[in-house]
Amino acid sequence: MKVISVIGYKNTGKTTLVTKLVQELSKHGRVGTAKMMTDHRLDNPNADTGKHFDAGADMVTAVTNSELVSIQRDPSIEKAIDALADAGMDFAVIEGAKDKPIAKIVLGDMEEGVRNVVAKLPARSDWDLEELVDIIKEQPDHVTLDLLLKQIKETPGIEKVGGIGSFTGIVRVDNEDFRTSQLEFESYEKAAAASIQKIREEIMQQEGIIDVLIHHKVGTIKPLEDIVYIVVAAGHRQQLFPALAETLERVKSEVPIWKKEITVDGNFWVHDHA
């Protein structure tokens, strides 16, 4: 899923651009949106759903003839983006979230220091939507484990599968000799993609292996956040687990991705990244 954020001061046309992007991107796939709404409440405290939530429910789902709305505690834009990916969206357009490390289209004047800006546009203008769509398509994919599990269940030959196994690598904090504050991953994108594809194709040649999906994140990843996903579908568990382990070891040793450990005592680079 490609993710883009539209940011700008009040009355710069953010919502207008978001709706235009939704209309244009819908020609290329499924589109979801999210909006940062600080100090705003979506559910009416006098409605039944509001009363459920105020009573202490951790999640309230409301179903109408045309809508399904979920209200949850501990909100974050990251959770919203994950939910859109898990729902099978091809594109996510976010209104707001200027402090988040996602690609941004800036409308009008915005203070210096905003990161990940991919386009700066005049406020309330006739924007080139086709050019913006091309920019959005160039962004890295946002992938979740749930999305990969759904994808692998749609693979040709799934009727031969007797088991699906997955590995999720996360940022380990306690490393015995040091504590990790965060990790930074860098890669040669084309070379890394080619290496991952080679591993995938070779593992799939093994007897009983129906499909293999691999995704490794790059950029800054915080403690306990996910780093890498590997999903293997096989006819039998005896075929599945060795293939899953071999795929992981090959990703660690062969894919040109470098890890920088950011610790409380200093920083250093390592290649063993999972």
Side-chain angles (χ1 to χ4, degrees):
M1 182 181 73
K2 308 296 185 181
V3 182
I4 195 73
S5 172
V6 177
I7 66 171
Y9 292 123
K10 189 176 181 179
N11 296 323
T12 54
K14 296 189 297 297
T15 302
T16 299
L17 179 55
V18 168
T19 57
K20 289 181 178 295
L21 284 174
V22 169
Q23 293 169 352
E24 195 67 25
L25 288 168
S26 294
K27 302 174 184 177
H28 304 272
R30 301 183 69 196
V31 186
T33 68
K35 179 177 173 63
M36 294 294 295
M37 304 178 69
T38 307
D39 299 326
H40 185 88
R41 182 168 176 172
L42 286 176
D43 62 318
N44 184 340
N46 295 318
D48 291 342
T49 51
K51 293 175 181 177
H52 297 174
F53 195 65
D54 290 343
D58 291 304
M59 182 174 181
V60 177
T61 302
V63 183
T64 72
N65 291 333
S66 59
E67 298 172 321
L68 187 153
V69 179
S70 294
I71 306 163
Q72 303 179 45
R73 300 190 187 280
D74 301 320
S76 72
I77 196 65
E78 290 83 4
K79 289 181 180 179
I81 293 172
D82 283 349
L84 292 174
D86 291 343
M89 298 297 107
D90 298 297
F91 304 96
V93 184
I94 315 302
E95 184 173 344
K98 74 180 182 68
D99 296 325
K100 301 298 181 180
I102 54 181
K104 299 176 183 68
I105 298 171
V106 177
L107 294 182
D109 296 326
M110 180 66 71
E111 66 266 24
E112 296 295 328
V114 177
R115 297 177 297 162
N116 304 101
V117 176
V118 296
K120 297 188 71 172
L121 304 176
R124 297 193 173 278
S125 180
D126 293 326
W127 304 294
D128 188 334
L129 297 177
E130 290 186 2
E131 181 179 353
L132 291 177
V133 168
D134 289 339
I135 291 173
I136 294 169
K137 286 183 175 181
E138 292 173 355
Q139 301 311 308
D141 285 319
H142 182 89
V143 175
T144 67
L145 179 59
D146 282 349
L147 177 61
L148 294 182
L149 290 170
K150 289 179 181 178
Q151 288 179 351
I152 209 163
K153 287 183 178 180
E154 297 172 355
T155 193
I158 188 64
E159 66 275 3
K160 299 178 181 179
V161 170
I164 297 173
S166 69
F167 171 85
T168 301
I170 68 173
V171 178
R172 180 174 51 235
V173 178
D174 188 349
N175 291 275
E176 296 182 1
D177 296 332
F178 60 89
R179 291 183 64 83
T180 297
S181 301
Q182 64 183 39
L183 297 179
E184 294 180 3
F185 290 91
E186 294 184 5
S187 72
Y188 294 125
E189 185 176 351
K190 291 184 178 180
S195 179
I196 286 174
Q197 183 61 19
K198 179 175 181 290
I199 294 169
R200 177 175 181 264
E201 291 175 354
E202 292 179 357
I203 296 294
M204 287 175 61
Q205 292 176 9
Q206 297 181 11
E207 182 179 359
I209 303 304
I210 307 302
D211 202 359
V212 178
L213 299 178
I214 305 166
H215 178 73
H216 198 299
K217 297 182 180 181
V218 295
T220 300
I221 306 180
K222 298 178 181 179
L224 303 183
E225 289 185 343
D226 297 346
I227 303 170
V228 60
Y229 303 126
I230 299 173
V231 182
V232 176
H236 302 278
R237 65 183 183 277
Q238 295 90 344
Q239 300 159 332
L240 190 158
F241 291 111
L244 182 61
E246 181 182 345
T247 303
L248 171 61
E249 295 306 319
R250 290 190 61 180
V251 168
K252 291 171 62 176
S253 62
E254 299 177 21
V255 179
I257 296 177
W258 290 267
K259 175 177 72 175
K260 186 177 184 180
E261 291 268 6
I262 311 297
T263 76
V264 295
D265 299 316
N267 310 329
F268 57 92
W269 289 95
V270 293
H271 179 61
D272 185 355
H273 47 76

